Amino acid sequence: QVYKGLDIITNKVSPQEQRLCRHHMISFVDPLVSNYTVVDFRDRAVPLISYIFARDKIPIVVGGTNYYIESLLWKVLINTKEKPSSAPRPDGDRKVELEQLDSAELHRRLSQVDPEMAAKLHPHDKRKVARSLQVFEETGIPHSEFLHQQQEEEGGGPLGGPLKYPHSCILWLHADQAALDARLEKRVDDMVAAGLLEELRDFHRRYNQEKVAENRQDYQHGIFQSIGFKEFHEYLISEGNCSPETSALLLEKGIQALKQVTKRYARRQNKWVRNRFLKRPGPNVPPVYGLEVSDLQRWEEDVLKPALEIVESFIQGREPPAEPLRMEQDEENKRSHRVCELCDRLIIGDREWAAHTRSKSHLHHLKKRRKLEASGHAGQTVGDSSDEDGSLPL
């Protein structure tokens, strides 16, 4: 929502709702800027939060993208720019340049300058490996050293530095999966009805057509990584160059893909809340209060009233009437390294290893090896049981 225009595809808050209270951080970045990062977002948002506090108001951070919210709650990011700025750099992004390298070469370079960070990251995770290498190149300090410094600060913990705003609370609006899926599908239909295709078509004609023609299209950075562009790519580039029947099929394919990826993204958001907010180890975690939004007819009773009571309690410095959500800490090691010799793969994380050992490809290789071992053992037994003259026994 930081990008100008494209109000439908980015699901911007309506002008009517914006008039209810002051909104910030909406529609201020040129959509052609490809190197706007979470660091840029944080560096602009933090002074705004301070400004709101200075006027005796309470900032409400709404998401959305939980990674960006996390950047405001904890000291977890590293700014490699010499002079902090609220605007992205006009020159090329070194991280994007590094991502053009081969995965093995990228990981090899990181291993040379920051072996600790290289050991934590999967060689195929180019974005994270490139970011760690960028940190070292632009500061001369290993990424792992920055992280250790943050964790060792007072109030820091295993996943980052101290909490920036100690008196914050998190209101997590969650819904039954079936109700959420139905609501997300309807939202896509509403977006199409509101003019989504015209918005995408216009943007494609003005900004994207030339990139596609020159094979420079990049759906990994900037506004183009937003859900909706990639899903309608085939429809947009073929429009006018195929039959109406084919165009209609591609359009329906794009709509269904948008619905699927939207539901998948919502699941990832919920998983992020559980893993990063509820399971986060250490004392520097704000309380998280769950608000059930499955039945919109009960919005007043299930959401608005309890939310107001919780916030009012925080303002007055007393215990809220609701209990914060709690989840048992698991013993999962997300950084464990295992090499599956059968599949010739490096697996990082206990959960990923468990999933790999249950996968079809692994079980296929395991079955194949057992057959080979069984046949080899049978041949060994026959050979050992022969008579002295080498003839087989009856």
Side-chain angles (χ1 to χ4, degrees):
Q1 296 192 359
V2 301
Y3 294 99
K4 297 174 185 175
L6 299 161
D7 295 352
I8 301 173
I9 193 65
T10 56
N11 279 288
K12 286 195 176 80
V13 60
S14 69
Q16 294 83 358
E17 290 175 305
Q18 289 195 43
R19 283 195 287 269
L20 296 174
C21 65
R22 177 80 182 276
H23 283 67
H24 304 270
M25 304 294 289
I26 295 178
S27 299
F28 64 93
V29 178
D30 188 306
L32 294 186
V33 170
S34 62
N35 63 338
Y36 188 82
T37 68
V38 65
V39 175
D40 296 309
F41 174 85
R42 180 205 62 187
D43 290 349
R44 183 178 176 115
V46 168
L48 277 170
I49 291 173
S50 300
Y51 167 69
I52 295 170
F53 275 133
R55 293 186 294 119
D56 289 329
K57 302 289 185 182
I58 297 177
I60 302 173
V61 181
V62 183
T65 311
N66 297 319
Y67 179 49
Y68 279 60
I69 296 176
E70 189 169 331
S71 75
L72 302 181
L73 287 173
W74 288 279
K75 185 177 179 181
V76 290
L77 298 179
I78 299 164
N79 192 350
T80 58
K81 302 172 185 176
E82 292 183 6
K83 295 181 180 179
S85 168
S86 61
R89 292 179 303 173
D91 57 333
D93 189 341
R94 178 56 179 158
K95 178 172 172 285
V96 176
E97 295 172 5
L98 288 168
E99 286 176 20
Q100 307 308 310
L101 296 173
D102 175 75
S103 297
E105 170 63 16
L106 202 58
H107 197 263
R108 185 189 66 80
R109 291 190 187 187
L110 182 61
S111 300
Q112 292 177 337
V113 298
D114 192 351
E116 181 181 343
M117 206 65 202
K120 291 180 179 179
L121 300 176
H122 197 287
H124 293 161
D125 195 343
K126 292 182 73 171
R127 298 188 74 166
K128 289 185 179 178
V129 174
R131 173 56 180 162
S132 290
L133 196 55
Q134 178 197 18
V135 168
F136 177 78
E137 287 186 359
E138 296 183 357
T139 67
I141 301 172
H143 193 179
S144 57
E145 187 173 327
F146 276 112
L147 297 180
H148 285 310
Q149 290 172 2
Q150 290 179 350
Q151 293 164 3
E152 290 168 3
E153 289 184 39
E154 185 178 355
L159 294 181
L163 194 64
K164 292 181 187 175
Y165 309 103
H167 300 296
S168 28
C169 73
I170 298 172
L171 304 177
W172 179 27
L173 278 63
H174 57 87
D176 174 76
Q177 195 62 57
L180 179 60
D181 287 347
R183 197 173 299 161
L184 292 173
E185 291 209 4
K186 182 180 182 302
R187 188 175 80 174
V188 172
D189 293 334
D190 292 342
M191 289 164 65
V192 173
L196 171 65
L197 297 179
E198 288 76 11
E199 183 178 87
L200 287 175
R201 194 179 289 120
D202 177 64
F203 189 78
H204 175 71
R205 184 172 58 251
R206 288 189 294 142
Y207 300 115
N208 203 29
Q209 211 160 27
E210 184 180 341
K211 288 187 175 184
V212 172
E214 297 176 359
N215 199 26
R216 293 187 296 112
Q217 178 55 66
D218 178 11
Y219 286 113
Q220 301 300 318
H221 300 94
I223 185 65
F224 293 101
Q225 64 185 318
S226 299
I227 292 174
F229 285 102
K230 188 164 49 178
E231 287 70 30
F232 288 97
H233 174 82
E234 198 173 357
Y235 167 74
L236 291 170
I237 64 172
S238 64
E239 196 174 24
N241 300 317
C242 61
S243 67
E245 294 79 12
T246 301
S247 185
L249 286 173
L250 291 174
L251 173 58
E252 182 59 27
K253 180 182 175 183
I255 292 173
Q256 294 305 316
L258 180 56
K259 289 180 178 180
Q260 289 300 319
V261 75
T262 302
K263 290 186 286 187
R264 193 157 55 239
Y265 182 65
R267 284 172 168 80
R268 286 208 307 271
Q269 287 179 312
N270 285 331
K271 183 179 178 182
W272 185 287
V273 171
R274 293 187 184 96
N275 289 340
R276 302 292 289 183
F277 294 160
L278 294 177
K279 292 184 179 180
R280 195 184 187 104
N284 58 338
V285 184
V288 179
Y289 296 92
L291 299 169
E292 175 64 48
V293 294
S294 297
D295 184 1
L296 294 181
Q297 301 298 320
R298 292 185 52 83
W299 176 268
E300 298 276 342
E301 304 96 308
D302 294 346
V303 184
L304 183 58
K305 184 180 177 182
L308 290 174
E309 289 176 347
I310 292 167
V311 174
E312 190 69 27
S313 299
F314 267 81
I315 293 173
Q316 296 175 358
R318 55 183 174 83
E319 284 293 317
E323 282 290 322
L325 296 174
R326 302 188 187 282
M327 294 186 72
E328 290 185 10
Q329 299 292 329
D330 54 30
E331 300 301 321
E332 176 192 356
N333 183 355
K334 296 181 180 180
R335 297 297 187 187
S336 63
H337 282 59
R338 295 181 179 88
V339 176
C340 179
E341 296 179 356
L342 275 177
C343 306
D344 191 25
R345 284 187 58 189
L346 169 64
I347 311 295
I348 297 180
D350 291 349
R351 184 175 301 179
E352 287 72 15
W353 174 255
H356 173 73
T357 56
R358 294 192 300 266
S359 67
K360 287 183 179 179
S361 60
H362 178 79
L363 294 174
H364 170 74
H365 284 103
L366 186 62
K367 185 177 180 181
K368 190 175 179 181
R369 187 180 73 174
R370 285 174 177 168
K371 280 185 177 179
L372 288 172
E373 288 177 347
S375 61
H377 181 69
Q380 181 72 28
T381 303
V382 168
D384 290 347
S385 302
S386 61
D387 291 338
E388 289 184 0
D389 62 357
S391 60
L392 295 175
L394 295 174

